[in-house]
mmCIF file of all heavy atoms in Angstrom:
data_model
loop_
_atom_site.group_PDB
_atom_site.id
_atom_site.type_symbol
_atom_site.label_atom_id
_atom_site.label_comp_id
_atom_site.label_asym_id
_atom_site.label_seq_id
_atom_site.Cartn_x
_atom_site.Cartn_y
_atom_site.Cartn_z
ATOM 1 N N GLU G 278 -4.704 26.140 27.192
ATOM 2 C CA GLU G 278 -3.534 26.379 26.343
ATOM 3 C C GLU G 278 -3.547 25.345 25.218
ATOM 4 O O GLU G 278 -3.493 24.146 25.486
ATOM 5 C CB GLU G 278 -2.262 26.263 27.194
ATOM 6 C CG GLU G 278 -1.006 26.718 26.489
ATOM 7 C CD GLU G 278 -0.351 25.636 25.656
ATOM 8 O OE1 GLU G 278 -0.795 24.465 25.706
ATOM 9 O OE2 GLU G 278 0.592 25.951 24.935
ATOM 10 N N ALA G 279 -3.664 25.804 23.972
ATOM 11 C CA ALA G 279 -3.697 24.893 22.817
ATOM 12 C C ALA G 279 -2.662 25.339 21.793
ATOM 13 O O ALA G 279 -2.958 25.517 20.614
ATOM 14 C CB ALA G 279 -5.097 24.855 22.212
ATOM 15 N N VAL G 280 -1.450 25.557 22.271
ATOM 16 C CA VAL G 280 -0.370 26.058 21.414
ATOM 17 C C VAL G 280 0.787 25.060 21.351
ATOM 18 O O VAL G 280 1.193 24.626 20.282
ATOM 19 C CB VAL G 280 0.145 27.427 21.921
ATOM 20 C CG1 VAL G 280 1.334 27.887 21.092
ATOM 21 C CG2 VAL G 280 -0.976 28.467 21.881
ATOM 22 N N GLY G 281 1.318 24.709 22.517
ATOM 23 C CA GLY G 281 2.377 23.703 22.558
ATOM 24 C C GLY G 281 3.774 24.270 22.579
ATOM 25 O O GLY G 281 3.983 25.474 22.731
ATOM 26 N N MET G 282 4.739 23.381 22.390
ATOM 27 C CA MET G 282 6.126 23.702 22.711
ATOM 28 C C MET G 282 6.862 24.548 21.691
ATOM 29 O O MET G 282 8.025 24.859 21.894
ATOM 30 C CB MET G 282 6.897 22.417 22.931
ATOM 31 C CG MET G 282 6.922 21.507 21.735
ATOM 32 S SD MET G 282 8.038 20.207 22.174
ATOM 33 C CE MET G 282 7.650 18.933 21.122
ATOM 34 N N GLU G 283 6.172 24.896 20.590
ATOM 35 C CA GLU G 283 6.838 25.793 19.647
ATOM 36 C C GLU G 283 6.153 27.150 19.634
ATOM 37 O O GLU G 283 6.126 27.836 18.622
ATOM 38 C CB GLU G 283 6.818 25.187 18.241
ATOM 39 C CG GLU G 283 7.644 23.932 18.122
ATOM 40 C CD GLU G 283 7.386 23.221 16.810
ATOM 41 O OE1 GLU G 283 7.729 23.789 15.768
ATOM 42 O OE2 GLU G 283 6.824 22.110 16.845
ATOM 43 N N ALA G 284 5.551 27.516 20.768
ATOM 44 C CA ALA G 284 4.803 28.765 20.846
ATOM 45 C C ALA G 284 5.618 29.922 20.285
ATOM 46 O O ALA G 284 6.821 30.026 20.508
ATOM 47 C CB ALA G 284 4.411 29.055 22.286
ATOM 48 N N HIS G 285 4.902 30.773 19.556
ATOM 49 C CA HIS G 285 5.510 31.968 19.001
ATOM 50 C C HIS G 285 5.284 33.068 20.022
ATOM 51 O O HIS G 285 4.243 33.101 20.667
ATOM 52 C CB HIS G 285 4.796 32.270 17.678
ATOM 53 C CG HIS G 285 4.882 33.686 17.242
ATOM 54 N ND1 HIS G 285 3.917 34.616 17.549
ATOM 55 C CD2 HIS G 285 5.817 34.330 16.512
ATOM 56 C CE1 HIS G 285 4.256 35.772 17.022
ATOM 57 N NE2 HIS G 285 5.403 35.627 16.389
ATOM 58 N N SER G 286 6.269 33.937 20.235
ATOM 59 C CA SER G 286 5.928 35.126 20.999
ATOM 60 C C SER G 286 6.778 36.293 20.574
ATOM 61 O O SER G 286 7.969 36.144 20.294
ATOM 62 C CB SER G 286 6.004 34.877 22.504
ATOM 63 O OG SER G 286 7.325 34.759 22.906
ATOM 64 N N PRO G 287 6.125 37.447 20.527
ATOM 65 C CA PRO G 287 6.849 38.640 20.114
ATOM 66 C C PRO G 287 7.719 39.123 21.257
ATOM 67 O O PRO G 287 7.500 38.749 22.400
ATOM 68 C CB PRO G 287 5.726 39.637 19.819
ATOM 69 C CG PRO G 287 4.557 39.176 20.626
ATOM 70 C CD PRO G 287 4.740 37.717 20.902
ATOM 71 N N GLY G 288 8.704 39.940 20.956
ATOM 72 C CA GLY G 288 9.466 40.614 22.004
ATOM 73 C C GLY G 288 10.529 39.743 22.652
ATOM 74 O O GLY G 288 10.867 38.675 22.171
ATOM 75 N N VAL G 289 11.017 40.250 23.785
ATOM 76 C CA VAL G 289 12.195 39.636 24.391
ATOM 77 C C VAL G 289 11.963 38.200 24.857
ATOM 78 O O VAL G 289 12.834 37.357 24.729
ATOM 79 C CB VAL G 289 12.739 40.454 25.590
ATOM 80 C CG1 VAL G 289 13.510 41.632 25.093
ATOM 81 C CG2 VAL G 289 11.639 40.850 26.537
ATOM 82 N N HIS G 290 10.770 37.933 25.381
ATOM 83 C CA HIS G 290 10.530 36.573 25.858
ATOM 84 C C HIS G 290 10.654 35.560 24.735
ATOM 85 O O HIS G 290 11.225 34.491 24.909
ATOM 86 C CB HIS G 290 9.137 36.454 26.494
ATOM 87 C CG HIS G 290 9.114 36.947 27.895
ATOM 88 N ND1 HIS G 290 9.785 36.304 28.896
ATOM 89 C CD2 HIS G 290 8.529 38.037 28.454
ATOM 90 C CE1 HIS G 290 9.604 36.974 30.031
ATOM 91 N NE2 HIS G 290 8.860 38.031 29.789
ATOM 92 N N GLY G 291 10.095 35.940 23.573
ATOM 93 C CA GLY G 291 10.142 35.045 22.427
ATOM 94 C C GLY G 291 11.569 34.773 22.008
ATOM 95 O O GLY G 291 11.963 33.626 21.799
#
Side-chain angles (χ1 to χ4, degrees):
Chain G
E278 190 274 353
V280 176
M282 60 173 160
E283 294 169 66
H285 157 267
S286 72
V289 282
H290 279 293

